[in-house]
């Protein structure tokens, strides 16, 4: 086992001229994913984010940002393949911890991709810089669906479990460790379309001309993603976010047929084995579906910025927590403007049951000093 010496100061901190935290000690990081370091005392305090997700009283809204583990320019140069970065335990851990070491968010999310399980389901793919996801053999027929295997995480993605276990120890309950998965309809959209899409004509053609074929595919994804969430929880994830990015391309009636039942099935399956695991659902552009999202049974619904937070809270009802929903573009504004928008969002969300976040991921080119300001303001709030 070879080891490399590391002070674990992220590329973000270098770029922002941040210094290592006062209590930070250099350690040896080992290529097998382990760490030779002084033993940590286990922190028994429940992370703020979990308490907010469960509706418990908290002193302020917890905060984390989607795509917060995004500044790893030096790693991109050394490891240009996204799949290499997201399927190597050491790199996954390092990238996941970068924002934690600099900003101390209340949630630390695994660096991965929603398409990571596809190879283990006999769906070859790659993620190409400048092009995005590429599905080598798009699924368009019943025969294609028949070839799709159900996902076995411990066999197909052991690096995910290893990374989560290491991250859980590193974060040590000072923040919640978040895992994530793609929702069945969103995953089906990628594999049917062959990658990203503007019009989703292929998946809709399949849905409306051969619905049984699509339902068979969705069922395989639902069963597999439930297992994947359970696996992530068993390996250390304390909450899991489900991304249904493309479900909002469906009309409400079609959402009720092709997305909602499979999301509910996933939640029901996971809650039988992990009843206390908070599940978060994010679907961008969900303004027309808000009332339907709590029907999935999730604990938290994450709203994008196109919905007024007060209106979204009212439409969701009192039984579900809310996450979001500052416009990522706000981070290009002045610090005063950022502060104003944070306070407006928190005020409209009300006391408790709110996780402060952006309404989508951090945009490339966002000034990192503004990200630092976002966290500083958010963590200085109190109810």
């Amino acid at each position: 086992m070879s080891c490399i010496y590391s002070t674990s100061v992220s590329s973000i901190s270098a770029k922002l001229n941040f210094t290592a935290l006062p209590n930070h000690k250099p350690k040896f990081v080992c290529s097998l994913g382990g760490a030779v370091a002084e033993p940590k005392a286990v922190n028994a305090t429940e992370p703020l984010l979990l308490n907010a997700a469960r509706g418990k009283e908290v002193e302020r809204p917890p905060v984390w940002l989607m795509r917060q583990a995004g500044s790893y320019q030096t790693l991109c140069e050394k490891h240009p393949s996204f799949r290499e970065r997201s399927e190597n335990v050491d790199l996954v851990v390092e990238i996941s911890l970068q924002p934690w070491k600099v900003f101390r968010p209340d949630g630390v999310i695994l660096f991965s991709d929603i398409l990571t399980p596809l190879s283990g389901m006999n769906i070859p793919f790659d993620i190409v810089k400048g092009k995005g996801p590429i599905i080598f053999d798009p699924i368009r027929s019943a025969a294609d669906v028949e070839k799709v295997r159900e996902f076995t995480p411990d066999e197909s993605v052991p690096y995910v479990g290893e990374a989560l276990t290491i991250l859980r120890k590193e974060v040590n309950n000072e923040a919640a460790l978040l895992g994530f998965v793609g929702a069945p309809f969103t995953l089906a959209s990628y594999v049917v379309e062959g990658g990203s899409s503007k019009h989703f004509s292929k998946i809709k053609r399949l849905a409306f001309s051969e619905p049984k074929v699509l339902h068979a595919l969705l069922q395989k994804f639902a069963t597999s993603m439930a297992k994947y969430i359970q696996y992530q929880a068993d390996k250390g994830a304390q909450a899991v976010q489900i991304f249904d990015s493309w479900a909002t391309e469906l009309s409400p009636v079609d959402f009720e047929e092709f997305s909602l039942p499979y999301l509910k099935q996933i939640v029901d399956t996971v809650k039988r084995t992990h009843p206390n695991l908070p599940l978060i659902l994010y679907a961008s552009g969900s303004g027309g579906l808000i009332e339907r999202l709590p029907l999935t049974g999730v604990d938290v619904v994450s709203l994008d910025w196109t919905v007024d937070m007060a209106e979204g809270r009212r439409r969701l009802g009192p039984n579900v927590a809310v996450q979001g929903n500052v416009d990522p573009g706000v981070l290009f504004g002045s610090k005063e403007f950022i502060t104003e928008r944070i306070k407006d969002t928190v005020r409209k969300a009300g006391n408790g049951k709110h996780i402060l976040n952006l309404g989508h991921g951090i945009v490339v080119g966002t000034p990192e000093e503004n990200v630092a300001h976002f966290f500083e303001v958010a963590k200085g709030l109190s109810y």
Side-chain angles (χ1 to χ4, degrees):
M1 179 172 66
S2 61
C3 298
I4 57 171
Y5 183 77
S6 170
T7 61
S8 295
V9 180
S10 72
S11 61
I12 301 180
S13 62
K15 189 171 181 180
L16 285 179
N17 296 316
F18 280 32
T19 58
L21 296 171
N23 61 353
H24 176 73
K25 296 181 179 180
K27 64 176 182 289
F28 284 95
V29 180
C30 303
S31 60
L32 291 184
V36 180
E38 295 180 9
K40 287 184 178 180
V42 177
N43 184 356
T45 305
E46 194 80 313
L48 185 70
L49 187 149
L50 301 186
N51 286 332
R54 293 169 180 152
K56 295 182 180 180
E57 186 174 342
V58 292
E59 62 271 21
R60 63 169 175 85
V63 57
W64 70 281
L65 302 182
M66 284 183 274
R67 291 191 193 145
Q68 65 186 18
S71 294
Y72 44 91
Q73 289 88 349
T74 57
L75 288 175
C76 283
E77 294 171 5
K78 295 179 182 177
H79 309 278
S81 165
F82 179 89
R83 287 195 61 184
E84 180 188 358
R85 295 193 298 274
S86 63
E87 296 177 14
N88 175 293
V89 174
D90 292 336
L91 294 177
V92 168
V93 170
E94 182 177 354
I95 294 168
S96 301
L97 287 176
Q98 283 183 346
W100 165 244
K101 290 169 178 170
V102 180
F103 305 120
R104 281 298 196 263
D106 296 301
V108 174
I109 193 164
L110 175 75
F111 177 73
S112 187
D113 193 86
I114 63 171
L115 302 184
T116 293
L118 293 187
S119 293
M121 299 182 72
N122 197 32
I123 306 173
F125 80 101
D126 201 357
I127 299 175
V128 180
K129 185 176 181 179
K131 293 184 179 180
I134 303 293
I135 308 300
F136 296 123
D137 299 304
I139 294 172
R140 308 275 169 79
S141 68
D144 294 335
V145 174
E146 189 68 28
K147 297 175 185 175
V148 176
R149 295 193 299 260
E150 285 188 3
F151 186 51
T152 306
D154 55 351
E155 294 178 6
S156 300
V157 292
Y159 50 86
V160 169
E162 291 176 45
L164 285 168
T165 300
I166 295 169
L167 288 167
R168 179 68 178 272
K169 292 177 182 176
E170 284 286 325
V171 178
N172 195 31
N173 260 12
E174 294 177 45
L177 177 58
L178 304 172
F180 69 93
V181 302
F185 182 79
T186 290
L187 294 174
S189 295
Y190 279 111
V191 304
V192 172
E193 295 287 338
S196 301
S197 177
K198 288 185 177 180
H199 304 293
F200 297 88
S201 56
K202 296 180 179 67
I203 184 89
K204 291 188 176 183
R205 181 184 295 116
L206 189 63
F208 303 148
S209 64
E210 298 183 81
K212 288 184 178 180
V213 174
L214 180 54
H215 279 299
L217 178 60
L218 292 169
Q219 183 57 59
K220 287 192 174 183
F221 278 131
T223 301
S224 297
M225 291 309 103
K227 290 167 64 177
Y228 195 24
I229 292 174
Q230 292 166 326
Y231 173 77
Q232 292 186 30
D234 290 341
K235 295 300 182 180
Q238 295 168 286
V240 176
Q241 180 154 308
I242 304 169
F243 285 87
D244 207 354
S245 309
W246 304 131
T248 51
E249 293 294 327
L250 294 169
S251 68
V253 66
D254 294 319
F255 175 81
E256 290 177 355
E257 179 175 355
F258 296 108
S259 182
L260 179 58
Y262 298 101
L263 289 168
K264 189 174 188 308
Q265 183 184 138
I266 289 171
V267 173
D268 290 346
T269 299
V270 171
K271 290 295 185 180
R272 281 196 291 270
T273 57
H274 300 74
N276 297 317
L277 179 73
L279 297 176
I280 306 167
L281 175 61
Y282 175 75
S284 56
S286 61
L289 300 171
I290 287 180
E291 288 82 1
R292 291 166 173 81
L293 300 181
L295 301 178
T296 60
V298 295
D299 303 280
V300 185
V301 171
S302 190
L303 298 176
D304 76 0
W305 71 94
T306 63
V307 178
D308 180 81
M309 176 55 82
E311 181 184 336
R313 174 71 105 177
R314 176 180 57 78
R315 291 173 61 190
L316 285 170
N319 298 323
V320 64
V322 65
Q323 179 174 272
N325 69 337
V326 178
D327 184 342
V330 165
L331 293 178
F332 288 97
S334 67
K335 288 181 172 58
E336 293 75 18
F337 183 66
I338 294 168
T339 300
E340 178 186 322
R341 285 299 180 91
I342 290 172
K343 291 181 176 179
D344 179 66
T345 299
V346 172
R347 177 179 56 80
K348 289 178 176 178
N351 288 5
K353 278 191 162 183
H354 175 220
I355 300 168
L356 180 62
N357 206 315
L358 300 178
H360 203 285
I362 295 175
V363 179
V364 174
T366 297
E368 294 186 23
E369 60 271 23
N370 287 357
V371 177
H373 180 73
F374 188 99
F375 280 110
E376 181 182 357
V377 172
K379 297 184 78 173
L381 298 172
S382 62
Y383 285 132

